[in-house]
Short mmCIF file of all heavy atoms in Angstrom, two decimals:
data_model
loop_
_atom_site.label_atom_id
_atom_site.label_comp_id
_atom_site.label_asym_id
_atom_site.label_seq_id
_atom_site.Cartn_x
_atom_site.Cartn_y
_atom_site.Cartn_z
N ALA A 414 -34.80 -267.25 214.06
CA ALA A 414 -33.49 -266.63 213.85
C ALA A 414 -32.38 -267.64 214.10
O ALA A 414 -31.38 -267.69 213.37
CB ALA A 414 -33.33 -265.42 214.76
N ALA A 415 -32.54 -268.46 215.14
CA ALA A 415 -31.54 -269.50 215.42
C ALA A 415 -31.51 -270.53 214.29
O ALA A 415 -30.44 -270.96 213.85
CB ALA A 415 -31.84 -270.18 216.75
N LEU A 416 -32.69 -270.91 213.80
CA LEU A 416 -32.74 -271.88 212.71
C LEU A 416 -32.09 -271.31 211.45
O LEU A 416 -31.38 -272.02 210.73
CB LEU A 416 -34.19 -272.26 212.42
CG LEU A 416 -34.90 -273.08 213.50
CD1 LEU A 416 -36.38 -273.23 213.16
CD2 LEU A 416 -34.26 -274.45 213.67
N TRP A 417 -32.31 -270.02 211.19
CA TRP A 417 -31.71 -269.41 210.01
C TRP A 417 -30.18 -269.38 210.14
O TRP A 417 -29.47 -269.71 209.18
CB TRP A 417 -32.24 -268.00 209.80
CG TRP A 417 -31.69 -267.38 208.54
CD1 TRP A 417 -32.17 -267.55 207.26
CD2 TRP A 417 -30.53 -266.55 208.43
NE1 TRP A 417 -31.37 -266.87 206.37
CE2 TRP A 417 -30.36 -266.24 207.05
CE3 TRP A 417 -29.64 -266.02 209.36
CZ2 TRP A 417 -29.33 -265.43 206.59
CZ3 TRP A 417 -28.59 -265.22 208.90
CH2 TRP A 417 -28.45 -264.93 207.53
N LEU A 418 -29.68 -269.01 211.30
CA LEU A 418 -28.23 -268.99 211.49
C LEU A 418 -27.64 -270.39 211.31
O LEU A 418 -26.58 -270.55 210.68
CB LEU A 418 -27.90 -268.45 212.88
CG LEU A 418 -28.10 -266.94 213.06
CD1 LEU A 418 -28.07 -266.57 214.54
CD2 LEU A 418 -27.04 -266.15 212.30
N MET A 419 -28.30 -271.39 211.83
CA MET A 419 -27.81 -272.76 211.65
C MET A 419 -27.83 -273.17 210.18
O MET A 419 -26.96 -273.91 209.72
CB MET A 419 -28.61 -273.73 212.52
CG MET A 419 -28.32 -273.58 214.01
SD MET A 419 -29.09 -274.87 215.03
CE MET A 419 -30.81 -274.41 214.96
N SER A 420 -28.82 -272.68 209.44
CA SER A 420 -28.90 -273.01 208.02
C SER A 420 -27.72 -272.43 207.25
O SER A 420 -27.41 -272.90 206.14
CB SER A 420 -30.21 -272.50 207.41
OG SER A 420 -30.17 -271.10 207.16
N LYS A 421 -27.06 -271.42 207.83
CA LYS A 421 -25.90 -270.80 207.21
C LYS A 421 -24.59 -271.41 207.71
O LYS A 421 -23.51 -270.91 207.40
CB LYS A 421 -25.90 -269.29 207.47
CG LYS A 421 -27.11 -268.59 206.87
CD LYS A 421 -27.18 -268.79 205.36
CE LYS A 421 -28.39 -268.11 204.74
NZ LYS A 421 -28.46 -268.28 203.28
N GLY A 422 -24.69 -272.48 208.50
CA GLY A 422 -23.49 -273.20 208.91
C GLY A 422 -22.99 -272.90 210.30
O GLY A 422 -21.96 -273.45 210.72
N ILE A 423 -23.69 -272.06 211.05
CA ILE A 423 -23.25 -271.76 212.41
C ILE A 423 -23.62 -272.92 213.34
O ILE A 423 -24.74 -273.42 213.31
CB ILE A 423 -23.85 -270.45 212.92
CG1 ILE A 423 -23.24 -269.28 212.15
CG2 ILE A 423 -23.65 -270.27 214.42
CD1 ILE A 423 -23.81 -267.94 212.50
N GLU A 424 -22.67 -273.33 214.15
CA GLU A 424 -22.89 -274.39 215.13
C GLU A 424 -22.77 -273.79 216.52
O GLU A 424 -21.71 -273.29 216.91
CB GLU A 424 -21.88 -275.52 214.95
CG GLU A 424 -22.12 -276.71 215.86
CD GLU A 424 -21.22 -277.89 215.52
OE1 GLU A 424 -20.76 -277.98 214.38
OE2 GLU A 424 -21.02 -278.72 216.42
N PHE A 425 -23.85 -273.83 217.28
CA PHE A 425 -23.88 -273.21 218.59
C PHE A 425 -23.25 -274.09 219.66
O PHE A 425 -23.26 -275.31 219.57
CB PHE A 425 -25.32 -272.89 218.99
CG PHE A 425 -26.00 -271.92 218.09
CD1 PHE A 425 -27.14 -272.28 217.38
CD2 PHE A 425 -25.51 -270.64 217.93
CE1 PHE A 425 -27.78 -271.38 216.55
CE2 PHE A 425 -26.14 -269.72 217.10
CZ PHE A 425 -27.28 -270.09 216.40
N GLN A 426 -22.70 -273.41 220.67
CA GLN A 426 -22.13 -274.07 221.83
C GLN A 426 -22.88 -273.60 223.09
O GLN A 426 -23.41 -272.48 223.11
CB GLN A 426 -20.64 -273.73 221.97
CG GLN A 426 -19.80 -274.14 220.78
CD GLN A 426 -18.37 -273.67 220.89
OE1 GLN A 426 -17.91 -273.29 221.96
NE2 GLN A 426 -17.65 -273.68 219.78
N PRO A 427 -22.93 -274.44 224.13
CA PRO A 427 -23.59 -274.01 225.37
C PRO A 427 -23.03 -272.68 225.87
O PRO A 427 -21.81 -272.47 225.88
CB PRO A 427 -23.28 -275.15 226.34
CG PRO A 427 -23.14 -276.35 225.45
CD PRO A 427 -22.45 -275.83 224.22
N GLY A 428 -23.92 -271.77 226.24
CA GLY A 428 -23.51 -270.46 226.71
C GLY A 428 -23.53 -269.39 225.64
O GLY A 428 -23.50 -268.19 225.95
N ASP A 429 -23.57 -269.79 224.37
CA ASP A 429 -23.64 -268.80 223.30
C ASP A 429 -24.90 -267.95 223.43
O ASP A 429 -25.96 -268.43 223.84
CB ASP A 429 -23.68 -269.48 221.93
CG ASP A 429 -22.31 -269.90 221.42
OD1 ASP A 429 -21.30 -269.49 222.02
OD2 ASP A 429 -22.25 -270.65 220.42
N LEU A 430 -24.76 -266.68 223.05
CA LEU A 430 -25.90 -265.78 222.96
C LEU A 430 -26.33 -265.68 221.50
O LEU A 430 -25.48 -265.62 220.61
CB LEU A 430 -25.54 -264.39 223.48
CG LEU A 430 -24.99 -264.29 224.90
CD1 LEU A 430 -24.77 -262.83 225.29
CD2 LEU A 430 -25.90 -264.97 225.90
N ILE A 431 -27.63 -265.66 221.27
CA ILE A 431 -28.18 -265.50 219.93
C ILE A 431 -29.05 -264.26 219.92
O ILE A 431 -30.11 -264.23 220.56
CB ILE A 431 -29.01 -266.72 219.51
CG1 ILE A 431 -28.21 -268.01 219.61
CG2 ILE A 431 -29.53 -266.53 218.08
CD1 ILE A 431 -29.05 -269.27 219.40
N SER A 432 -28.61 -263.23 219.23
CA SER A 432 -29.43 -262.04 219.04
C SER A 432 -30.37 -262.30 217.87
O SER A 432 -29.93 -262.57 216.75
CB SER A 432 -28.54 -260.83 218.75
OG SER A 432 -29.28 -259.77 218.20
N VAL A 433 -31.69 -262.23 218.13
CA VAL A 433 -32.66 -262.62 217.10
C VAL A 433 -32.93 -261.51 216.09
O VAL A 433 -33.54 -261.75 215.05
CB VAL A 433 -33.99 -263.08 217.73
CG1 VAL A 433 -33.75 -264.22 218.71
CG2 VAL A 433 -34.75 -261.93 218.38
N GLY A 434 -32.50 -260.29 216.39
CA GLY A 434 -32.69 -259.19 215.45
C GLY A 434 -33.76 -258.21 215.90
O GLY A 434 -34.44 -258.40 216.90
N SER A 435 -33.92 -257.17 215.12
CA SER A 435 -34.78 -256.06 215.49
C SER A 435 -36.25 -256.38 215.31
O SER A 435 -36.67 -256.97 214.31
CB SER A 435 -34.42 -254.84 214.65
OG SER A 435 -35.29 -253.77 214.94
N PHE A 436 -37.06 -255.92 216.28
CA PHE A 436 -38.51 -256.06 216.20
C PHE A 436 -39.16 -254.84 215.54
O PHE A 436 -40.38 -254.67 215.61
CB PHE A 436 -39.10 -256.27 217.59
CG PHE A 436 -38.86 -257.65 218.14
CD1 PHE A 436 -37.71 -257.93 218.85
CD2 PHE A 436 -39.77 -258.66 217.92
CE1 PHE A 436 -37.47 -259.21 219.35
CE2 PHE A 436 -39.54 -259.94 218.41
CZ PHE A 436 -38.40 -260.21 219.12
N GLY A 437 -38.36 -254.02 214.92
CA GLY A 437 -38.90 -252.84 214.26
C GLY A 437 -37.77 -252.01 213.69
O GLY A 437 -36.64 -252.49 213.55
N PRO A 438 -38.04 -250.75 213.39
CA PRO A 438 -37.02 -249.88 212.80
C PRO A 438 -35.86 -249.60 213.75
O PRO A 438 -35.97 -249.77 214.97
CB PRO A 438 -37.79 -248.60 212.49
CG PRO A 438 -39.23 -248.97 212.52
CD PRO A 438 -39.34 -250.09 213.51
N LEU A 439 -34.76 -249.16 213.16
CA LEU A 439 -33.61 -248.67 213.91
C LEU A 439 -33.75 -247.16 214.05
O LEU A 439 -34.19 -246.48 213.11
CB LEU A 439 -32.30 -249.01 213.20
CG LEU A 439 -31.80 -250.45 213.26
CD1 LEU A 439 -32.73 -251.40 212.52
CD2 LEU A 439 -30.39 -250.55 212.67
N PHE A 440 -33.34 -246.62 215.21
CA PHE A 440 -33.49 -245.19 215.47
C PHE A 440 -32.16 -244.57 215.87
O PHE A 440 -31.36 -245.20 216.58
CB PHE A 440 -34.49 -244.96 216.60
CG PHE A 440 -35.90 -245.37 216.27
CD1 PHE A 440 -36.37 -246.63 216.59
CD2 PHE A 440 -36.76 -244.48 215.63
CE1 PHE A 440 -37.67 -247.02 216.28
CE2 PHE A 440 -38.05 -244.86 215.32
CZ PHE A 440 -38.51 -246.12 215.64
N PRO A 441 -31.92 -243.31 215.48
CA PRO A 441 -30.74 -242.59 215.96
C PRO A 441 -30.94 -242.20 217.42
O PRO A 441 -32.09 -242.08 217.89
CB PRO A 441 -30.67 -241.37 215.05
CG PRO A 441 -32.09 -241.14 214.64
CD PRO A 441 -32.72 -242.50 214.54
#
Side-chain angles (χ1 to χ4, degrees):
L416 292 173
W417 184 84
L418 287 166
M419 289 188 288
S420 78
K421 298 301 179 179
I423 291 177
E424 185 172 337
F425 297 119
Q426 300 174 16
D429 279 349
L430 304 184
I431 304 171
S432 163
V433 304
S435 177
F436 286 88
L439 285 66
F440 294 94

